[in-house]
Amino acid sequence: MTKLKWSKLIGAICMIGIVLYGWIGLAQSPQPSVRLTTNPPINQVRPLEAEATTVLGSGHYNPPVQLMLQAVDAQGQSLKDAKIHLQLFTNPKNPWFTTDFPIVEGTKLLDIEGNAPTGQLQVQQTLPIRGTYQLQVAVTPLVANAFEPIQQKLTLTLPENPLKFRYFGILVVILLAVGLLGGWVIGGRQAIQPGEMAPQQVRLLLTGLIVVAIAALLWVNISAELAESHHHNMSMPGMGEEVPPSGKPAKLQSQGLYMQLSGDQSATVGQPAKLQVSVSDPTTSQPVTDVVLKVTTTQLENNWVAFAYQGTPDTNGKLAWEQEFFDGAPHSIVVEVAPLANATRQFQPFQVAENIPVEGVAPPMSVRLISLTYFTGIVVIGLLLGLWLRQRQTPCSGMTWKRSVS
């Protein structure tokens, strides 16, 4: 009886071992996945706000980053006839260490779904801020049950411009020096006249610091409000600078095709805008799918490309996408249609376009106050340091102010 129990126990242990071994081997075996590459490499890319400045950047706007998604099977071979859905999210909000565009933090920058005959989807996207971007990718077969759908999350970390750290260090040194000088002056022995709470130099210094703090706060808030009002006027017809005409129609019938660009007529910074282009045969009203659509979104004030994509429409002859505008200025949406190389219908490429206003949004008041608090805190640290150094130099302990006797 004892031998039987031992044999059952050993058999159960062996069975568990076999199951665990198979489970671990299955978990470690290659799985279908999505590979992400960028051009240029992401460590060579800088956020938008630093690109065009002569101090921090190259003095001109660089082309958008090319994001290439490749769906592969367990053997590393490209999946054919796939549909790839991409959602691109910006770095999560962090009010204590905000970026230059706090409105777009923690928002959806892009949402697009396109056919991928070779298992590859490419988009060009300008990345506005530093931080870790999240890409949510869904791959499904165009032919039912051709392969198992893939759901995958990818990350993309955009580094900050290193020159910003240098200039921030210089600013910190200047603010510390101002506080240090003030603390040194306050810490000196000074006479207090009858009826005064503090010496005249101390009162003048404190008054000056208060005036500077108030002026800085007013400047930050007024400049932000003026910027928001400027962008708002640009986006409202008949108010201030109007959106220039696109020069091309939003819908056009040409060479036996009818193409229409539709969607939101205006946008707001930090909020996605929905856009769509459709291609059909005007005589039969049937969708046309054997064409290539090239989408380009351009910021008109400085003429830099925010987003670009080239692909084929779906079975309904449509291409729909959502994109977020992160600069409060008019943007141009241009879509060009061209025939596929092996299509029976050949024609000369033509375009439709639409210019849309984008309303700017001022940074939240909390972000402004936190930034001002940081700078004020640096001055206060310098002030305390100046007081401490002056006390060490003074022969008597503590800080003494002589009161003059009338």
Side-chain angles (χ1 to χ4, degrees), residues 291-314:
V291 294
V292 177
L293 299 174
K294 182 180 179 180
V295 182
T296 306
T297 300
T298 306
Q299 194 258 32
L300 293 177
E301 278 191 353
N302 305 108
N303 199 36
W304 50 267
V305 177
F307 166 73
Y309 170 75
Q310 181 173 311
T312 58
D314 60 16

Side-chain angles (χ1 to χ4, degrees), residues 39-104:
N39 185 26
I42 195 62
N43 58 358
Q44 299 178 11
V45 181
R46 294 294 177 263
L48 171 72
E49 69 267 21
E51 284 185 349
T53 60
T54 56
V55 177
L56 296 177
S58 59
H60 64 274
Y61 289 96
N62 294 325
V65 182
Q66 187 176 45
L67 306 178
M68 294 168 284
L69 299 172
Q70 182 69 58
V72 297
D73 58 17
Q75 287 73 39
Q77 301 297 318
S78 297
L79 293 173
K80 306 298 183 182
D81 297 325
K83 178 182 290 187
I84 299 180
H85 182 198
L86 168 65
Q87 297 182 81
L88 177 62
F89 296 88
T90 59
N91 190 56
K93 287 184 178 295
N94 186 349
W96 304 108
F97 299 99
T98 184
T99 64
D100 286 357
F101 294 122
I103 297 300
V104 304

Side-chain angles (χ1 to χ4, degrees), residues 192-194 403-406:
I192 302 178
Q193 301 299 326
R403 179 178 297 276
S404 61
V405 180
S406 58

Side-chain angles (χ1 to χ4, degrees), residues 175 178 205-218 372 379:
L175 294 177
V178 171
L205 179 61
L206 294 177
T207 302
L209 290 175
I210 293 173
V211 171
V212 170
I214 294 175
L217 179 61
L218 289 175
L372 183 62
V379 175

Side-chain angles (χ1 to χ4, degrees), residues 199-232:
Q200 183 180 7
Q201 291 183 354
V202 175
R203 288 185 284 111
L204 289 176
L205 179 61
L206 294 177
T207 302
L209 290 175
I210 293 173
V211 171
V212 170
I214 294 175
L217 179 61
L218 289 175
W219 179 81
V220 169
N221 286 277
I222 292 175
S223 61
E225 294 299 332
L226 288 177
E228 181 180 15
S229 175
H230 168 70
H231 293 307
H232 179 72

